[in-house]
Amino acid sequence: MNSLAIAADERVASVEITEDEIAVRLMDGRRISAPLAWYPRLLHATDEQRQNFEVAGGGYGIHWPDIDEDLSTEGLLRGAPAPEPSLAVRP
């Protein structure tokens, strides 16, 4: 019996950021996009800050050092927006 085994490769191949959307192309050819409104730090960052990112976590994440933001391909694939900031006061 023949079967085609296609392996998913969820590592980041490229990242495109516009004024209102982030699009990540994965190594296996899939493209994930999400509104920047889901990621307030990216939404409110300057274009220069948005473009200053590095692929991190063995290729499974994206890090923006200027704004201390991290996204994972797992979270993007799940369609998970950034969590709401905690309103708890820390001593």
Side-chain angles (χ1 to χ4, degrees):
M1 178 160 98
N2 272 339
S3 66
L4 291 176
I6 299 174
D9 189 345
E10 298 173 354
R11 292 176 298 151
V12 175
S14 65
V15 178
E16 293 178 49
I17 305 171
T18 66
E19 288 185 25
D20 58 353
E21 179 183 69
I22 180 168
V24 178
R25 182 151 323 269
L26 303 180
M27 291 289 196
D28 62 13
R30 288 181 286 174
R31 182 181 182 273
I32 312 163
S33 63
L36 282 189
W38 283 11
Y39 309 106
R41 288 183 186 174
L42 284 173
L43 180 65
H44 299 296
T46 66
D47 187 54
E48 183 177 317
Q49 290 171 321
R50 289 180 191 153
Q51 298 308 319
N52 183 30
F53 63 87
E54 52 198 37
V55 176
Y60 294 95
I62 309 160
H63 175 68
W64 287 265
D66 296 341
I67 58 172
D68 193 29
E69 178 70 295
D70 295 282
L71 299 181
S72 70
T73 56
E74 178 184 358
L76 288 164
L77 285 165
R78 266 197 338 260
E84 292 290 324
S86 172
L87 296 177
V89 177
R90 295 185 182 152

